[in-house]
Amino acid sequence: ALEIVAPKYGTAYRMGGRLLLTCRHLFYNSNDCKVRFRSASNYSDKQDIDAQVIWKAPDNIDIALVKLPETIETCNPVVFGVLPDANTTKKVKFDCLGFPLFLRYAEDEIKYATGLHIEGTIDVANRVPHHRLLLNIKDSQDIQPPDEQLERLAEDQSPWQGTSGSAIVCYGLVIGVQ
């Protein structure tokens, strides 16, 4: 997972080669973006690099593809999966990694976020609102924002803002985007 730091803050997932899977609403007015790239050998070694939105889904689908520059090494492709039929009563475990607002901090006037591994379940039959999957986040102190972090947020802010674009993974397969 990588941070999208401009034009809006969000999360992206490397899906193979130099491509990132993320959400469209981060780029409504732009095809340019900045991605925070961290060294695989030293997580605290980070740099913001220019990237390009190369595809946006139609308006009713919140998915986009971003391409990293040629200077970035490629990665192996992820494997995609499909959830069971919506007519079943199955609940499926999921996990994702995102950069939520409640874990943001600033260093030298630059905003950063700590990545958070989020776990929970998806009730496959529950497709509301708008035929979307509902992610039921595990009720754990390791995942839920503490009260002191919630108090710092503005009234119109969600503590989960910034996790948009997180790849939703079930049984090791990418099934969607938060």
Side-chain angles (χ1 to χ4, degrees):
L2 299 171
E3 295 168 80
I4 301 286
V5 294
K8 289 184 177 179
Y9 201 91
T11 302
Y13 192 80
R14 289 195 73 181
M15 51 182 279
R18 292 183 184 88
L19 292 179
L20 305 177
L21 177 66
T22 189
C23 56
R24 183 183 195 279
H25 76 261
L26 298 175
F27 312 104
Y28 277 135
N29 298 319
S30 176
N31 285 331
D32 295 320
C33 72
K34 284 208 179 290
V35 174
R36 183 154 298 140
F37 198 80
R38 296 175 189 259
S39 166
S41 61
N42 180 3
Y43 188 74
S44 59
D45 178 22
K46 48 195 172 271
Q47 61 178 324
D48 293 354
I49 59 173
D50 292 322
Q52 188 69 37
V53 179
I54 60 168
W55 179 78
K56 294 178 193 174
D59 287 340
N60 60 339
I61 302 171
D62 196 12
I63 295 178
L65 292 177
V66 172
K67 187 172 184 183
L68 296 171
E70 299 289 322
T71 56
I72 302 298
E73 195 172 314
T74 62
C75 72
N76 292 331
V78 299
V79 180
F80 293 93
V82 178
L83 287 175
D85 187 88
N87 294 326
T88 70
T89 58
K90 288 188 177 183
K91 291 187 179 182
V92 180
K93 290 183 180 181
F94 80 89
D95 66 303
C96 63
L97 188 128
F99 299 91
L101 179 62
F102 71 90
L103 290 178
R104 286 198 203 151
Y105 61 97
E107 277 181 9
D108 301 324
E109 298 183 29
I110 299 173
K111 292 181 180 176
Y112 296 99
T114 300
L116 179 66
H117 180 227
I118 302 165
E119 298 175 299
T121 58
I122 299 170
D123 180 352
V124 176
N126 187 357
R127 301 285 177 116
V128 291
H130 311 294
H131 201 64
R132 295 181 181 163
L133 295 170
L134 182 62
L135 304 177
N136 298 300
I137 297 172
K138 183 179 177 181
D139 190 14
S140 164
Q141 285 183 317
D142 297 337
I143 297 174
Q144 298 296 333
D147 290 340
E148 63 269 10
Q149 289 172 323
L150 291 174
E151 290 168 4
R152 291 185 292 195
L153 301 177
E155 197 170 300
D156 64 339
Q157 290 179 309
S158 165
W160 299 104
Q161 185 178 324
T163 59
S164 292
S166 299
I168 306 303
V169 179
C170 297
Y171 304 111
L173 304 174
V174 175
I175 59 94
V177 175
Q178 194 278 333

